[in-house]
Amino acid sequence: MSEHFDVVVLGMGPGGEVAAGRLLKAGKKVAVIERELIGGECAYWACIPSKTVLRPAEARTGVERAAGVSGAELDWEKTSAYRDSMIRNLDDTAQAEGYEDQGATVIRAEARITAPGQVRAGTRELTAEHIIIATGSEAIIPPLEGIDQVTAWTNRETYTAKTLPERAVIVGGSAVGVETATFLARFGVQVTLIHRGERLMDREETKVGELARTYLEEAGVDIRLRASAQKARRQGDDSIIELDDGTEAAGDVVIFATGRKPRTEGLGFEEAGVELGDKGQVLVDEHLRAKANVWAIGDVTGIMPFTHVAKYQGRIAADAILGQARPATYDGIPRVVFSDPEIAAAGLTRDQAEEQGIRIEAVELDLAEAIARPWTYDQDPRGHLGLLADADRKVLVGAWAVGPQAGEWIHHASLAIRTGIPLEVLRDQVAQFPTFHEAYFAALEKLGT
């Protein structure tokens, strides 16, 4: 006998949690289904543990760079213990009970859609007025010859490790690879980073990749660009990756930071008429609707695979179900890499703007040459800001920053891009002295528009 709900949520990562919470608050009868842990990848194996272990290393660097302070030491045992508390020791009992207290039916099972409005979760049959697909994504490990011979990690093993390796080979030089290299190198691990592209962070501006490389090499990371993994093999205790340039890299572990793919295979989405894209992503409209009364949010959509976007999409989908539909927009959403120093960006890159036919005015600023805050922050200040403006509309369309706390002050540009604040209004803004926000005024003054 089936159980009927207003909404069934498949997957309880950040997007699913936001949607479920909003619907429960509105009085809807909701079933939430999670095969692993409520909170999803971000809470247990990605965002939360990674940022937790990156912070002590950042703090030590800060001590080393600040005037008149010394003696900071890293303690992996204490760091990992705090990380374990932050990821709830991989126990979501309290989260499940919290949703039950709100009136949700919590089901722990692998689920699949069996027909429009019908879901099977384990042995239970459910029907629903609406289904929200929030099944997330999973790490991609390339099918290298010999991969079964080496110790291969993804973000899950890396950010729940009890003991750190002495040497690590990281394959992939985008956000996850750069963050992971930063974390391990700062904790004394000998890191080799392999990236097939011409530069690190190659979806961002060229200067961003150059700065990322500079700071990682300062931390002792051996960076191999324009190199692709071809084979894997074990030699004694070494896990070895053979590269297409004839060289090889050896470590105790090989960490694959080679991207993620939407988790859609074998879940019956086609039974509800849901269409998938060429990368397996659920295709949705501007309201996150995949089909009549079927919605998809988060990584599974392939739109912008960030936790903050999944949460935003959870709000959009829930509000549409509640009769308050509005379109999702993605202009100016920030992208942050919690490296040391942080890397942040929002809006378009120069290449993207040119592809759209936008006439661009650009400026790049060395913060130490332009404002006071870097000098009050560090003895050897570092930091850069880049802005892209539409020369005809006279608004910002893109921004990037590399520097201390860049992930915090990128939101000034994010809001300006998202809302189309005119450049003349931005120039009239008065920033607190001395702060990194002052860099925007200095950069805007240099724009020719």
Side-chain angles (χ1 to χ4, degrees), residues 291-331:
K291 208 66 177 178
N293 297 341
V294 180
W295 314 79
I297 58 178
D299 285 13
V300 77
T301 69
I303 293 174
M304 292 183 79
F306 304 128
T307 293
H308 46 295
V309 173
K311 295 170 74 171
Y312 169 62
Q313 291 178 328
R315 300 198 304 269
I316 295 290
D319 286 353
I321 290 171
L322 295 172
Q324 302 163 7
R326 67 187 192 281
T329 60
Y330 303 98
D331 296 337

mmCIF file of all heavy atoms in Angstrom, residues 291-331:
data_model
loop_
_atom_site.group_PDB
_atom_site.id
_atom_site.type_symbol
_atom_site.label_atom_id
_atom_site.label_comp_id
_atom_site.label_asym_id
_atom_site.label_seq_id
_atom_site.Cartn_x
_atom_site.Cartn_y
_atom_site.Cartn_z
ATOM 1 N N LYS A 291 10.000 18.469 -15.264
ATOM 2 C CA LYS A 291 8.803 17.977 -15.915
ATOM 3 C C LYS A 291 7.640 18.391 -15.032
ATOM 4 O O LYS A 291 7.849 18.874 -13.922
ATOM 5 C CB LYS A 291 8.855 16.442 -16.060
ATOM 6 C CG LYS A 291 8.067 15.887 -17.230
ATOM 7 C CD LYS A 291 8.640 16.293 -18.573
ATOM 8 C CE LYS A 291 7.860 15.660 -19.725
ATOM 9 N NZ LYS A 291 8.386 16.096 -21.040
ATOM 10 N N ALA A 292 6.433 18.196 -15.492
ATOM 11 C CA ALA A 292 5.281 18.579 -14.674
ATOM 12 C C ALA A 292 5.385 17.966 -13.287
ATOM 13 O O ALA A 292 5.472 16.734 -13.135
ATOM 14 C CB ALA A 292 3.987 18.128 -15.355
ATOM 15 N N ASN A 293 5.438 18.841 -12.261
ATOM 16 C CA ASN A 293 5.488 18.421 -10.854
ATOM 17 C C ASN A 293 6.760 17.672 -10.470
ATOM 18 O O ASN A 293 6.809 17.031 -9.423
ATOM 19 C CB ASN A 293 4.264 17.576 -10.481
ATOM 20 C CG ASN A 293 2.968 18.367 -10.595
ATOM 21 O OD1 ASN A 293 2.985 19.594 -10.610
ATOM 22 N ND2 ASN A 293 1.856 17.667 -10.697
ATOM 23 N N VAL A 294 7.792 17.766 -11.306
ATOM 24 C CA VAL A 294 9.114 17.208 -10.969
ATOM 25 C C VAL A 294 10.124 18.345 -11.064
ATOM 26 O O VAL A 294 10.178 19.059 -12.063
ATOM 27 C CB VAL A 294 9.517 16.063 -11.910
ATOM 28 C CG1 VAL A 294 10.895 15.511 -11.511
ATOM 29 C CG2 VAL A 294 8.481 14.951 -11.893
ATOM 30 N N TRP A 295 10.930 18.477 -10.032
ATOM 31 C CA TRP A 295 11.885 19.581 -9.923
ATOM 32 C C TRP A 295 13.269 19.005 -9.660
ATOM 33 O O TRP A 295 13.402 17.899 -9.120
ATOM 34 C CB TRP A 295 11.466 20.514 -8.778
ATOM 35 C CG TRP A 295 10.006 20.829 -8.797
ATOM 36 C CD1 TRP A 295 8.979 20.036 -8.348
ATOM 37 C CD2 TRP A 295 9.390 21.992 -9.348
ATOM 38 N NE1 TRP A 295 7.773 20.638 -8.577
ATOM 39 C CE2 TRP A 295 7.988 21.848 -9.188
ATOM 40 C CE3 TRP A 295 9.869 23.157 -9.942
ATOM 41 C CZ2 TRP A 295 7.070 22.803 -9.602
ATOM 42 C CZ3 TRP A 295 8.963 24.122 -10.358
ATOM 43 C CH2 TRP A 295 7.581 23.944 -10.190
ATOM 44 N N ALA A 296 14.298 19.736 -10.015
ATOM 45 C CA ALA A 296 15.663 19.290 -9.735
ATOM 46 C C ALA A 296 16.487 20.479 -9.263
ATOM 47 O O ALA A 296 16.351 21.590 -9.784
ATOM 48 C CB ALA A 296 16.311 18.661 -10.966
ATOM 49 N N ILE A 297 17.321 20.238 -8.269
ATOM 50 C CA ILE A 297 18.132 21.300 -7.678
ATOM 51 C C ILE A 297 19.528 20.784 -7.358
ATOM 52 O O ILE A 297 19.738 19.596 -7.151
ATOM 53 C CB ILE A 297 17.476 21.856 -6.387
ATOM 54 C CG1 ILE A 297 17.276 20.727 -5.364
ATOM 55 C CG2 ILE A 297 16.140 22.519 -6.698
ATOM 56 C CD1 ILE A 297 16.676 21.201 -4.042
ATOM 57 N N GLY A 298 20.481 21.695 -7.327
ATOM 58 C CA GLY A 298 21.839 21.345 -6.920
ATOM 59 C C GLY A 298 22.686 20.768 -8.030
ATOM 60 O O GLY A 298 22.429 20.961 -9.223
ATOM 61 N N ASP A 299 23.722 20.038 -7.633
ATOM 62 C CA ASP A 299 24.703 19.504 -8.580
ATOM 63 C C ASP A 299 24.071 18.671 -9.684
ATOM 64 O O ASP A 299 24.605 18.587 -10.790
ATOM 65 C CB ASP A 299 25.730 18.635 -7.850
ATOM 66 C CG ASP A 299 26.732 19.433 -7.054
ATOM 67 O OD1 ASP A 299 26.509 20.644 -6.856
ATOM 68 O OD2 ASP A 299 27.730 18.842 -6.599
ATOM 69 N N VAL A 300 22.955 18.026 -9.383
ATOM 70 C CA VAL A 300 22.328 17.133 -10.363
ATOM 71 C C VAL A 300 21.865 17.895 -11.601
ATOM 72 O O VAL A 300 21.703 17.307 -12.665
ATOM 73 C CB VAL A 300 21.164 16.354 -9.707
ATOM 74 C CG1 VAL A 300 19.922 17.236 -9.547
ATOM 75 C CG2 VAL A 300 20.836 15.091 -10.474
ATOM 76 N N THR A 301 21.696 19.222 -11.492
ATOM 77 C CA THR A 301 21.310 20.028 -12.652
ATOM 78 C C THR A 301 22.500 20.393 -13.525
ATOM 79 O O THR A 301 22.319 20.816 -14.669
ATOM 80 C CB THR A 301 20.611 21.336 -12.220
ATOM 81 O OG1 THR A 301 21.581 22.190 -11.575
ATOM 82 C CG2 THR A 301 19.452 21.067 -11.284
ATOM 83 N N GLY A 302 23.712 20.303 -12.977
ATOM 84 C CA GLY A 302 24.912 20.655 -13.732
ATOM 85 C C GLY A 302 25.046 22.130 -14.023
ATOM 86 O O GLY A 302 25.906 22.520 -14.821
ATOM 87 N N ILE A 303 24.249 22.981 -13.406
ATOM 88 C CA ILE A 303 24.273 24.412 -13.742
ATOM 89 C C ILE A 303 25.476 25.106 -13.115
ATOM 90 O O ILE A 303 26.325 25.651 -13.812
ATOM 91 C CB ILE A 303 22.951 25.078 -13.306
ATOM 92 C CG1 ILE A 303 21.797 24.528 -14.152
ATOM 93 C CG2 ILE A 303 23.041 26.600 -13.460
ATOM 94 C CD1 ILE A 303 20.428 25.005 -13.721
ATOM 95 N N MET A 304 25.546 25.132 -11.813
ATOM 96 C CA MET A 304 26.703 25.669 -11.095
ATOM 97 C C MET A 304 26.866 24.788 -9.861
ATOM 98 O O MET A 304 26.101 24.915 -8.899
ATOM 99 C CB MET A 304 26.499 27.130 -10.698
ATOM 100 C CG MET A 304 26.463 28.109 -11.851
ATOM 101 S SD MET A 304 26.307 29.851 -11.320
ATOM 102 C CE MET A 304 28.002 30.224 -10.834
ATOM 103 N N PRO A 305 27.824 23.889 -9.856
ATOM 104 C CA PRO A 305 27.925 22.891 -8.792
ATOM 105 C C PRO A 305 28.550 23.427 -7.501
ATOM 106 O O PRO A 305 29.634 23.015 -7.092
ATOM 107 C CB PRO A 305 28.802 21.801 -9.423
ATOM 108 C CG PRO A 305 29.680 22.554 -10.366
ATOM 109 C CD PRO A 305 28.844 23.678 -10.905
ATOM 110 N N PHE A 306 27.834 24.351 -6.876
ATOM 111 C CA PHE A 306 28.278 24.938 -5.618
ATOM 112 C C PHE A 306 27.181 24.757 -4.567
ATOM 113 O O PHE A 306 25.993 24.811 -4.887
ATOM 114 C CB PHE A 306 28.560 26.436 -5.760
ATOM 115 C CG PHE A 306 29.558 26.783 -6.826
ATOM 116 C CD1 PHE A 306 29.249 27.732 -7.793
ATOM 117 C CD2 PHE A 306 30.798 26.183 -6.868
ATOM 118 C CE1 PHE A 306 30.157 28.070 -8.779
ATOM 119 C CE2 PHE A 306 31.726 26.514 -7.844
ATOM 120 C CZ PHE A 306 31.406 27.457 -8.807
ATOM 121 N N THR A 307 27.589 24.608 -3.324
ATOM 122 C CA THR A 307 26.624 24.468 -2.242
ATOM 123 C C THR A 307 25.686 25.657 -2.168
ATOM 124 O O THR A 307 24.469 25.499 -1.995
ATOM 125 C CB THR A 307 27.365 24.289 -0.905
ATOM 126 O OG1 THR A 307 28.051 23.027 -0.922
ATOM 127 C CG2 THR A 307 26.393 24.311 0.269
ATOM 128 N N HIS A 308 26.230 26.863 -2.293
ATOM 129 C CA HIS A 308 25.377 28.042 -2.168
ATOM 130 C C HIS A 308 24.368 28.127 -3.312
ATOM 131 O O HIS A 308 23.265 28.640 -3.127
ATOM 132 C CB HIS A 308 26.202 29.326 -2.066
ATOM 133 C CG HIS A 308 27.321 29.477 -3.036
ATOM 134 N ND1 HIS A 308 28.417 28.644 -3.038
ATOM 135 C CD2 HIS A 308 27.536 30.371 -4.034
ATOM 136 C CE1 HIS A 308 29.265 29.032 -3.992
ATOM 137 N NE2 HIS A 308 28.733 30.075 -4.620
ATOM 138 N N VAL A 309 24.717 27.594 -4.484
ATOM 139 C CA VAL A 309 23.761 27.571 -5.590
ATOM 140 C C VAL A 309 22.680 26.526 -5.330
ATOM 141 O O VAL A 309 21.498 26.762 -5.611
ATOM 142 C CB VAL A 309 24.478 27.309 -6.924
ATOM 143 C CG1 VAL A 309 23.476 27.114 -8.055
ATOM 144 C CG2 VAL A 309 25.413 28.468 -7.245
ATOM 145 N N ALA A 310 23.073 25.367 -4.786
ATOM 146 C CA ALA A 310 22.075 24.351 -4.447
ATOM 147 C C ALA A 310 21.058 24.888 -3.446
ATOM 148 O O ALA A 310 19.844 24.654 -3.573
ATOM 149 C CB ALA A 310 22.762 23.106 -3.879
ATOM 150 N N LYS A 311 21.538 25.627 -2.463
ATOM 151 C CA LYS A 311 20.629 26.206 -1.467
ATOM 152 C C LYS A 311 19.708 27.239 -2.101
ATOM 153 O O LYS A 311 18.511 27.291 -1.795
ATOM 154 C CB LYS A 311 21.446 26.807 -0.323
ATOM 155 C CG LYS A 311 22.236 25.761 0.467
ATOM 156 C CD LYS A 311 23.215 26.372 1.439
ATOM 157 C CE LYS A 311 22.523 26.947 2.649
ATOM 158 N NZ LYS A 311 23.500 27.348 3.685
ATOM 159 N N TYR A 312 20.243 28.050 -2.979
ATOM 160 C CA TYR A 312 19.444 29.031 -3.702
ATOM 161 C C TYR A 312 18.375 28.337 -4.548
ATOM 162 O O TYR A 312 17.185 28.703 -4.539
ATOM 163 C CB TYR A 312 20.366 29.876 -4.577
ATOM 164 C CG TYR A 312 19.682 30.757 -5.588
ATOM 165 C CD1 TYR A 312 18.813 31.774 -5.189
ATOM 166 C CD2 TYR A 312 19.922 30.588 -6.952
ATOM 167 C CE1 TYR A 312 18.200 32.601 -6.136
ATOM 168 C CE2 TYR A 312 19.323 31.409 -7.893
ATOM 169 C CZ TYR A 312 18.457 32.404 -7.481
ATOM 170 O OH TYR A 312 17.856 33.212 -8.408
ATOM 171 N N GLN A 313 18.782 27.291 -5.271
ATOM 172 C CA GLN A 313 17.832 26.563 -6.100
ATOM 173 C C GLN A 313 16.767 25.869 -5.250
ATOM 174 O O GLN A 313 15.610 25.743 -5.676
ATOM 175 C CB GLN A 313 18.569 25.544 -6.963
ATOM 176 C CG GLN A 313 19.431 26.184 -8.034
ATOM 177 C CD GLN A 313 20.200 25.165 -8.853
ATOM 178 O OE1 GLN A 313 20.593 24.108 -8.348
ATOM 179 N NE2 GLN A 313 20.445 25.471 -10.115
ATOM 180 N N GLY A 314 17.151 25.438 -4.042
ATOM 181 C CA GLY A 314 16.161 24.854 -3.135
ATOM 182 C C GLY A 314 15.065 25.853 -2.803
ATOM 183 O O GLY A 314 13.879 25.495 -2.724
ATOM 184 N N ARG A 315 15.449 27.107 -2.610
ATOM 185 C CA ARG A 315 14.458 28.151 -2.334
ATOM 186 C C ARG A 315 13.562 28.389 -3.547
ATOM 187 O O ARG A 315 12.343 28.529 -3.416
ATOM 188 C CB ARG A 315 15.147 29.467 -1.941
ATOM 189 C CG ARG A 315 16.014 29.372 -0.701
ATOM 190 C CD ARG A 315 16.312 30.740 -0.107
ATOM 191 N NE ARG A 315 16.938 31.674 -1.017
ATOM 192 C CZ ARG A 315 18.245 31.832 -1.180
ATOM 193 N NH1 ARG A 315 19.077 31.060 -0.497
ATOM 194 N NH2 ARG A 315 18.735 32.750 -1.999
ATOM 195 N N ILE A 316 14.181 28.438 -4.735
ATOM 196 C CA ILE A 316 13.416 28.696 -5.954
ATOM 197 C C ILE A 316 12.378 27.595 -6.190
ATOM 198 O O ILE A 316 11.206 27.865 -6.470
ATOM 199 C CB ILE A 316 14.363 28.796 -7.170
ATOM 200 C CG1 ILE A 316 15.286 30.016 -7.042
ATOM 201 C CG2 ILE A 316 13.578 28.840 -8.477
ATOM 202 C CD1 ILE A 316 14.613 31.348 -7.200
ATOM 203 N N ALA A 317 12.806 26.328 -6.090
ATOM 204 C CA ALA A 317 11.901 25.210 -6.348
ATOM 205 C C ALA A 317 10.787 25.140 -5.306
ATOM 206 O O ALA A 317 9.616 24.943 -5.644
ATOM 207 C CB ALA A 317 12.680 23.897 -6.380
ATOM 208 N N ALA A 318 11.146 25.306 -4.039
ATOM 209 C CA ALA A 318 10.128 25.248 -2.984
ATOM 210 C C ALA A 318 9.104 26.357 -3.159
ATOM 211 O O ALA A 318 7.889 26.128 -3.028
ATOM 212 C CB ALA A 318 10.792 25.333 -1.617
ATOM 213 N N ASP A 319 9.564 27.548 -3.475
ATOM 214 C CA ASP A 319 8.638 28.663 -3.650
ATOM 215 C C ASP A 319 7.724 28.442 -4.850
ATOM 216 O O ASP A 319 6.547 28.816 -4.831
ATOM 217 C CB ASP A 319 9.410 29.968 -3.799
ATOM 218 C CG ASP A 319 10.003 30.451 -2.472
ATOM 219 O OD1 ASP A 319 9.693 29.847 -1.432
ATOM 220 O OD2 ASP A 319 10.776 31.422 -2.495
ATOM 221 N N ALA A 320 8.254 27.829 -5.906
ATOM 222 C CA ALA A 320 7.405 27.525 -7.063
ATOM 223 C C ALA A 320 6.310 26.541 -6.678
ATOM 224 O O ALA A 320 5.149 26.694 -7.081
ATOM 225 C CB ALA A 320 8.258 26.970 -8.200
ATOM 226 N N ILE A 321 6.665 25.534 -5.910
ATOM 227 C CA ILE A 321 5.675 24.564 -5.439
ATOM 228 C C ILE A 321 4.616 25.245 -4.576
ATOM 229 O O ILE A 321 3.425 24.901 -4.619
ATOM 230 C CB ILE A 321 6.371 23.432 -4.661
ATOM 231 C CG1 ILE A 321 7.188 22.556 -5.627
ATOM 232 C CG2 ILE A 321 5.356 22.569 -3.894
ATOM 233 C CD1 ILE A 321 8.087 21.551 -4.946
ATOM 234 N N LEU A 322 5.028 26.255 -3.848
ATOM 235 C CA LEU A 322 4.116 26.969 -2.952
ATOM 236 C C LEU A 322 3.346 28.083 -3.664
ATOM 237 O O LEU A 322 2.665 28.882 -3.018
ATOM 238 C CB LEU A 322 4.902 27.551 -1.777
ATOM 239 C CG LEU A 322 5.539 26.519 -0.837
ATOM 240 C CD1 LEU A 322 6.462 27.204 0.167
ATOM 241 C CD2 LEU A 322 4.468 25.709 -0.118
ATOM 242 N N GLY A 323 3.473 28.133 -4.982
ATOM 243 C CA GLY A 323 2.718 29.116 -5.735
ATOM 244 C C GLY A 323 3.343 30.495 -5.798
ATOM 245 O O GLY A 323 2.655 31.481 -6.118
ATOM 246 N N GLN A 324 4.641 30.574 -5.509
ATOM 247 C CA GLN A 324 5.337 31.857 -5.513
ATOM 248 C C GLN A 324 6.516 31.798 -6.487
ATOM 249 O O GLN A 324 7.649 32.131 -6.147
ATOM 250 C CB GLN A 324 5.817 32.198 -4.102
ATOM 251 C CG GLN A 324 4.683 32.265 -3.088
ATOM 252 C CD GLN A 324 5.175 32.192 -1.650
ATOM 253 O OE1 GLN A 324 6.370 32.218 -1.378
ATOM 254 N NE2 GLN A 324 4.237 32.081 -0.724
ATOM 255 N N ALA A 325 6.237 31.367 -7.708
ATOM 256 C CA ALA A 325 7.292 31.109 -8.687
ATOM 257 C C ALA A 325 8.030 32.378 -9.080
ATOM 258 O O ALA A 325 7.424 33.433 -9.259
ATOM 259 C CB ALA A 325 6.700 30.454 -9.929
ATOM 260 N N ARG A 326 9.333 32.253 -9.188
ATOM 261 C CA ARG A 326 10.177 33.308 -9.728
ATOM 262 C C ARG A 326 11.361 32.620 -10.400
ATOM 263 O O ARG A 326 11.755 31.519 -9.995
ATOM 264 C CB ARG A 326 10.657 34.265 -8.636
ATOM 265 C CG ARG A 326 11.616 33.653 -7.619
ATOM 266 C CD ARG A 326 11.898 34.626 -6.486
ATOM 267 N NE ARG A 326 12.996 34.204 -5.654
ATOM 268 C CZ ARG A 326 12.919 33.277 -4.700
ATOM 269 N NH1 ARG A 326 11.770 32.653 -4.483
ATOM 270 N NH2 ARG A 326 13.984 32.963 -3.974
ATOM 271 N N PRO A 327 11.930 33.220 -11.411
ATOM 272 C CA PRO A 327 13.017 32.548 -12.121
ATOM 273 C C PRO A 327 14.328 32.587 -11.343
ATOM 274 O O PRO A 327 14.619 33.550 -10.629
ATOM 275 C CB PRO A 327 13.135 33.348 -13.419
ATOM 276 C CG PRO A 327 12.637 34.711 -13.053
ATOM 277 C CD PRO A 327 11.550 34.489 -12.052
ATOM 278 N N ALA A 328 15.105 31.529 -11.488
ATOM 279 C CA ALA A 328 16.462 31.522 -10.941
ATOM 280 C C ALA A 328 17.372 32.289 -11.881
ATOM 281 O O ALA A 328 17.277 32.163 -13.097
ATOM 282 C CB ALA A 328 16.962 30.090 -10.784
ATOM 283 N N THR A 329 18.238 33.112 -11.339
ATOM 284 C CA THR A 329 19.234 33.828 -12.126
ATOM 285 C C THR A 329 20.609 33.575 -11.523
ATOM 286 O O THR A 329 20.732 33.405 -10.300
ATOM 287 C CB THR A 329 18.949 35.336 -12.155
ATOM 288 O OG1 THR A 329 18.972 35.852 -10.819
ATOM 289 C CG2 THR A 329 17.586 35.619 -12.780
ATOM 290 N N TYR A 330 21.620 33.566 -12.357
ATOM 291 C CA TYR A 330 22.949 33.162 -11.900
ATOM 292 C C TYR A 330 24.009 34.236 -12.121
ATOM 293 O O TYR A 330 25.198 33.972 -11.957
ATOM 294 C CB TYR A 330 23.334 31.850 -12.601
ATOM 295 C CG TYR A 330 22.319 30.758 -12.348
ATOM 296 C CD1 TYR A 330 21.320 30.476 -13.275
ATOM 297 C CD2 TYR A 330 22.317 30.042 -11.156
ATOM 298 C CE1 TYR A 330 20.367 29.495 -13.029
ATOM 299 C CE2 TYR A 330 21.371 29.065 -10.902
ATOM 300 C CZ TYR A 330 20.396 28.803 -11.841
ATOM 301 O OH TYR A 330 19.442 27.830 -11.580
ATOM 302 N N ASP A 331 23.580 35.447 -12.452
ATOM 303 C CA ASP A 331 24.541 36.533 -12.636
ATOM 304 C C ASP A 331 25.237 36.863 -11.318
ATOM 305 O O ASP A 331 24.599 37.015 -10.277
ATOM 306 C CB ASP A 331 23.829 37.797 -13.127
ATOM 307 C CG ASP A 331 23.209 37.633 -14.496
ATOM 308 O OD1 ASP A 331 23.675 36.748 -15.233
ATOM 309 O OD2 ASP A 331 22.258 38.376 -14.817
#
